[in-house]
PDB file of all heavy atoms in Angstrom:
ATOM      1  N   THR A 149      -0.440  12.243  -2.747  1.00 88.00           N
ATOM      2  CA  THR A 149      -1.800  12.354  -1.991  1.00 88.00           C
ATOM      3  C   THR A 149      -1.888  13.403  -1.023  1.00 88.00           C
ATOM      4  O   THR A 149      -1.060  13.605  -0.144  1.00 88.00           O
ATOM      5  CB  THR A 149      -2.046  10.977  -1.268  1.00 88.00           C
ATOM      6  OG1 THR A 149      -2.015   9.936  -2.279  1.00 88.00           O
ATOM      7  CG2 THR A 149      -3.403  10.980  -0.566  1.00 88.00           C
ATOM      8  N   PHE A 191      -0.866   1.064 -16.482  1.00 97.00           N
ATOM      9  CA  PHE A 191      -1.242   0.867 -17.943  1.00 97.00           C
ATOM     10  C   PHE A 191      -2.703   0.494 -18.135  1.00 97.00           C
ATOM     11  O   PHE A 191      -3.274   0.588 -19.157  1.00 97.00           O
ATOM     12  CB  PHE A 191      -0.246  -0.113 -18.600  1.00 97.00           C
ATOM     13  CG  PHE A 191       1.133   0.433 -18.695  1.00 97.00           C
ATOM     14  CD1 PHE A 191       2.270  -0.263 -18.229  1.00 97.00           C
ATOM     15  CD2 PHE A 191       1.386   1.581 -19.307  1.00 97.00           C
ATOM     16  CE1 PHE A 191       3.592   0.218 -18.504  1.00 97.00           C
ATOM     17  CE2 PHE A 191       2.615   2.098 -19.595  1.00 97.00           C
ATOM     18  CZ  PHE A 191       3.715   1.434 -19.140  1.00 97.00           C
ATOM     19  N   THR A 227     -12.801  19.167 -10.895  1.00 97.00           N
ATOM     20  CA  THR A 227     -11.957  20.261 -10.182  1.00 97.00           C
ATOM     21  C   THR A 227     -10.821  19.596  -9.462  1.00 97.00           C
ATOM     22  O   THR A 227     -10.893  18.448  -9.060  1.00 97.00           O
ATOM     23  CB  THR A 227     -12.884  21.065  -9.250  1.00 97.00           C
ATOM     24  OG1 THR A 227     -13.291  20.119  -8.189  1.00 97.00           O
ATOM     25  CG2 THR A 227     -14.038  21.665  -9.942  1.00 97.00           C
ATOM     26  N   ILE A 263     -16.620 -16.680   8.644  1.00 96.00           N
ATOM     27  CA  ILE A 263     -16.454 -15.472   7.986  1.00 96.00           C
ATOM     28  C   ILE A 263     -16.428 -15.556   6.393  1.00 96.00           C
ATOM     29  O   ILE A 263     -16.939 -14.757   5.664  1.00 96.00           O
ATOM     30  CB  ILE A 263     -15.329 -14.554   8.472  1.00 96.00           C
ATOM     31  CG1 ILE A 263     -15.360 -13.026   7.886  1.00 96.00           C
ATOM     32  CG2 ILE A 263     -13.993 -15.152   8.154  1.00 96.00           C
ATOM     33  CD1 ILE A 263     -16.603 -12.368   8.252  1.00 96.00           C
ATOM     34  N   LYS A 341       7.792 -18.090  25.465  1.00 95.00           N
ATOM     35  CA  LYS A 341       7.355 -18.932  24.374  1.00 95.00           C
ATOM     36  C   LYS A 341       8.156 -18.610  23.190  1.00 95.00           C
ATOM     37  O   LYS A 341       8.504 -17.338  22.937  1.00 95.00           O
ATOM     38  CB  LYS A 341       5.843 -18.700  24.191  1.00 95.00           C
ATOM     39  CG  LYS A 341       5.021 -19.224  25.343  1.00 95.00           C
ATOM     40  CD  LYS A 341       4.954 -20.720  25.410  1.00 95.00           C
ATOM     41  CE  LYS A 341       4.444 -21.174  26.828  1.00 95.00           C
ATOM     42  NZ  LYS A 341       3.150 -20.581  27.312  1.00 95.00           N
TER      43      LYS A 341
END
Side-chain angles (χ1 to χ4, degrees):
T149 300
F191 289 128
T227 60
I263 187 63
K341 297 283 163 53

